[in-house]
Short mmCIF file of all heavy atoms in Angstrom, two decimals:
data_model
loop_
_atom_site.label_atom_id
_atom_site.label_comp_id
_atom_site.label_asym_id
_atom_site.label_seq_id
_atom_site.Cartn_x
_atom_site.Cartn_y
_atom_site.Cartn_z
N PHE B 30 16.21 -2.93 -3.15
CA PHE B 30 14.88 -3.32 -3.64
C PHE B 30 14.94 -4.29 -4.81
O PHE B 30 15.76 -4.00 -5.76
CB PHE B 30 14.13 -2.04 -4.10
CG PHE B 30 13.68 -1.16 -2.86
CD1 PHE B 30 13.76 0.23 -3.23
CD2 PHE B 30 13.14 -1.60 -1.78
CE1 PHE B 30 13.34 1.11 -2.13
CE2 PHE B 30 12.80 -0.80 -0.80
CZ PHE B 30 12.96 0.60 -0.98
N ASP B 31 14.26 -5.29 -4.76
CA ASP B 31 14.14 -6.41 -5.80
C ASP B 31 12.80 -6.67 -6.37
O ASP B 31 12.65 -7.65 -7.02
CB ASP B 31 14.94 -7.55 -5.41
CG ASP B 31 14.45 -8.22 -4.14
OD1 ASP B 31 13.34 -7.84 -3.68
OD2 ASP B 31 15.00 -9.23 -3.70
N TYR B 32 11.79 -6.02 -5.81
CA TYR B 32 10.46 -6.33 -6.19
C TYR B 32 9.64 -5.14 -6.18
O TYR B 32 9.76 -4.35 -5.26
CB TYR B 32 9.91 -7.46 -5.26
CG TYR B 32 8.57 -8.06 -5.73
CD1 TYR B 32 8.58 -8.86 -6.90
CD2 TYR B 32 7.32 -7.80 -5.19
CE1 TYR B 32 7.42 -9.54 -7.29
CE2 TYR B 32 6.16 -8.48 -5.65
CZ TYR B 32 6.23 -9.25 -6.71
OH TYR B 32 5.10 -9.80 -7.14
N PHE B 33 8.91 -4.77 -7.31
CA PHE B 33 8.10 -3.67 -7.37
C PHE B 33 6.82 -3.77 -7.74
O PHE B 33 6.36 -4.70 -8.48
CB PHE B 33 8.97 -2.74 -8.47
CG PHE B 33 10.37 -2.49 -8.23
CD1 PHE B 33 11.31 -3.33 -8.71
CD2 PHE B 33 10.83 -1.36 -7.56
CE1 PHE B 33 12.64 -3.34 -8.45
CE2 PHE B 33 12.16 -1.35 -7.23
CZ PHE B 33 13.02 -2.15 -7.81
N LEU B 34 5.75 -2.93 -7.17
CA LEU B 34 4.39 -3.11 -7.47
C LEU B 34 3.82 -1.90 -7.76
O LEU B 34 4.29 -0.77 -7.40
CB LEU B 34 3.78 -3.67 -6.16
CG LEU B 34 4.41 -4.91 -5.55
CD1 LEU B 34 5.46 -4.47 -4.48
CD2 LEU B 34 3.33 -5.77 -4.79
N TRP B 35 2.73 -1.89 -8.55
CA TRP B 35 1.84 -0.67 -8.67
C TRP B 35 0.48 -0.95 -8.12
O TRP B 35 -0.14 -2.09 -8.34
CB TRP B 35 1.70 -0.40 -10.24
CG TRP B 35 2.82 0.25 -10.77
CD1 TRP B 35 3.94 -0.46 -11.51
CD2 TRP B 35 3.23 1.66 -10.80
NE1 TRP B 35 4.81 0.51 -11.86
CE2 TRP B 35 4.44 1.86 -11.49
CE3 TRP B 35 2.60 2.84 -10.42
CZ2 TRP B 35 5.05 3.10 -11.75
CZ3 TRP B 35 3.15 4.08 -10.58
CH2 TRP B 35 4.43 4.17 -11.25
N TYR B 36 0.02 0.03 -7.48
CA TYR B 36 -1.23 0.03 -6.87
C TYR B 36 -2.09 1.29 -7.30
O TYR B 36 -1.61 2.34 -7.68
CB TYR B 36 -1.23 0.06 -5.30
CG TYR B 36 -0.83 -1.14 -4.66
CD1 TYR B 36 0.65 -1.31 -4.45
CD2 TYR B 36 -1.70 -2.14 -4.23
CE1 TYR B 36 1.05 -2.47 -3.93
CE2 TYR B 36 -1.32 -3.27 -3.54
CZ TYR B 36 0.10 -3.49 -3.33
OH TYR B 36 0.42 -4.65 -2.73
N LYS B 37 -3.47 0.96 -7.36
CA LYS B 37 -4.39 2.21 -7.78
C LYS B 37 -5.25 2.40 -6.62
O LYS B 37 -5.51 1.45 -5.82
CB LYS B 37 -5.28 1.52 -8.94
CG LYS B 37 -6.45 2.37 -9.34
CD LYS B 37 -7.12 1.62 -10.52
CE LYS B 37 -8.29 2.45 -10.96
NZ LYS B 37 -9.08 1.62 -12.13
N LYS B 38 -5.51 3.59 -6.17
CA LYS B 38 -6.28 3.98 -5.05
C LYS B 38 -7.27 5.04 -5.30
O LYS B 38 -6.99 6.03 -5.88
CB LYS B 38 -5.39 4.38 -3.94
CG LYS B 38 -6.05 4.67 -2.60
CD LYS B 38 -4.92 5.20 -1.70
CE LYS B 38 -5.65 5.29 -0.19
NZ LYS B 38 -6.71 6.42 -0.36
N TYR B 39 -8.53 4.80 -4.79
CA TYR B 39 -9.52 5.71 -4.83
C TYR B 39 -9.55 6.52 -3.35
O TYR B 39 -9.15 5.84 -2.45
CB TYR B 39 -10.94 5.32 -5.10
CG TYR B 39 -10.95 4.64 -6.58
CD1 TYR B 39 -11.04 3.25 -6.72
CD2 TYR B 39 -10.91 5.56 -7.63
CE1 TYR B 39 -11.15 2.80 -7.99
CE2 TYR B 39 -11.08 4.98 -8.97
CZ TYR B 39 -11.04 3.53 -9.18
OH TYR B 39 -11.17 3.05 -10.47
N PRO B 40 -10.05 7.78 -3.26
CA PRO B 40 -10.20 8.44 -1.99
C PRO B 40 -10.97 7.65 -1.13
O PRO B 40 -11.98 7.00 -1.37
CB PRO B 40 -10.87 9.73 -2.40
CG PRO B 40 -10.60 9.93 -3.84
CD PRO B 40 -10.44 8.62 -4.51
N ALA B 41 -10.36 7.51 0.09
CA ALA B 41 -11.03 6.82 1.33
C ALA B 41 -11.26 5.40 1.06
O ALA B 41 -12.10 4.69 1.65
CB ALA B 41 -12.35 7.51 1.56
N GLU B 42 -10.44 4.85 0.21
CA GLU B 42 -10.31 3.32 0.07
C GLU B 42 -8.96 2.94 0.18
O GLU B 42 -7.92 3.65 0.00
CB GLU B 42 -10.81 3.06 -1.34
CG GLU B 42 -12.36 3.17 -1.48
CD GLU B 42 -12.93 2.70 -2.82
OE1 GLU B 42 -12.14 2.05 -3.55
OE2 GLU B 42 -14.10 2.99 -3.21
N GLY B 43 -8.75 1.60 0.36
CA GLY B 43 -7.42 0.98 0.26
C GLY B 43 -6.85 0.76 -1.08
O GLY B 43 -7.64 0.74 -1.96
N PRO B 44 -5.58 0.64 -1.18
CA PRO B 44 -4.96 0.42 -2.52
C PRO B 44 -5.49 -0.83 -3.14
O PRO B 44 -5.63 -1.83 -2.38
CB PRO B 44 -3.51 0.59 -2.27
CG PRO B 44 -3.34 1.27 -0.98
CD PRO B 44 -4.60 0.80 -0.19
N THR B 45 -5.50 -0.88 -4.42
CA THR B 45 -5.81 -2.10 -5.22
C THR B 45 -4.68 -2.45 -5.95
O THR B 45 -4.13 -1.59 -6.81
CB THR B 45 -7.02 -1.94 -6.11
OG1 THR B 45 -8.12 -1.48 -5.37
CG2 THR B 45 -7.41 -3.24 -6.81
N PHE B 46 -4.24 -3.65 -5.84
CA PHE B 46 -3.02 -4.25 -6.60
C PHE B 46 -3.30 -4.25 -8.10
O PHE B 46 -4.35 -4.68 -8.48
CB PHE B 46 -2.61 -5.56 -6.12
CG PHE B 46 -1.56 -6.33 -6.94
CD1 PHE B 46 -0.22 -5.86 -6.95
CD2 PHE B 46 -1.80 -7.35 -7.76
CE1 PHE B 46 0.73 -6.45 -7.64
CE2 PHE B 46 -0.84 -8.02 -8.47
CZ PHE B 46 0.36 -7.50 -8.38
N LEU B 47 -2.29 -3.75 -8.90
CA LEU B 47 -2.39 -3.78 -10.32
C LEU B 47 -1.49 -4.87 -10.92
O LEU B 47 -1.89 -5.73 -11.71
CB LEU B 47 -2.16 -2.33 -10.98
CG LEU B 47 -3.11 -1.30 -10.77
CD1 LEU B 47 -2.70 -0.02 -11.25
CD2 LEU B 47 -4.45 -1.78 -11.63
N ILE B 48 -0.18 -4.59 -10.80
CA ILE B 48 0.76 -5.43 -11.35
C ILE B 48 2.06 -5.26 -10.67
O ILE B 48 2.32 -4.29 -9.95
CB ILE B 48 0.92 -4.89 -12.89
CG1 ILE B 48 1.72 -5.92 -13.76
CG2 ILE B 48 1.56 -3.49 -12.90
CD1 ILE B 48 1.68 -5.68 -15.22
N SER B 49 2.99 -6.32 -10.84
CA SER B 49 4.18 -6.22 -10.21
C SER B 49 5.36 -6.80 -11.12
O SER B 49 5.11 -7.29 -12.16
CB SER B 49 4.26 -7.15 -8.89
OG SER B 49 4.05 -8.43 -9.21
N ILE B 50 6.55 -6.60 -10.65
CA ILE B 50 7.69 -6.99 -11.60
C ILE B 50 8.88 -7.32 -10.53
O ILE B 50 9.12 -6.49 -9.60
CB ILE B 50 8.13 -5.94 -12.45
CG1 ILE B 50 9.15 -6.58 -13.47
CG2 ILE B 50 8.53 -4.55 -11.96
CD1 ILE B 50 9.29 -5.68 -14.76
N SER B 51 9.51 -8.45 -10.80
CA SER B 51 10.76 -8.86 -10.11
C SER B 51 11.84 -8.22 -10.75
O SER B 51 11.96 -7.94 -11.92
CB SER B 51 10.87 -10.35 -10.05
OG SER B 51 12.07 -10.59 -9.61
N SER B 52 12.88 -8.01 -10.02
CA SER B 52 14.17 -7.30 -10.61
C SER B 52 14.88 -8.27 -11.67
O SER B 52 15.76 -7.78 -12.28
CB SER B 52 15.17 -7.06 -9.40
OG SER B 52 15.52 -8.10 -8.75
N ILE B 53 14.50 -9.42 -11.69
CA ILE B 53 15.12 -10.35 -12.62
C ILE B 53 14.55 -10.12 -14.04
O ILE B 53 14.93 -10.67 -14.99
CB ILE B 53 15.04 -11.89 -12.31
CG1 ILE B 53 13.61 -12.33 -12.29
CG2 ILE B 53 15.79 -12.06 -11.06
CD1 ILE B 53 13.47 -13.74 -12.01
#
Side-chain angles (χ1 to χ4, degrees):
Chain B
F30 289 141
D31 58 4
Y32 194 70
F33 305 88
L34 309 92
W35 283 94
Y36 286 87
K37 175 181 179 181
K38 185 181 183 299
Y39 295 109
E42 292 185 13
T45 302
F46 171 71
L47 285 175
I48 193 169
S49 64
I50 188 168
S51 166
S52 60
I53 62 174

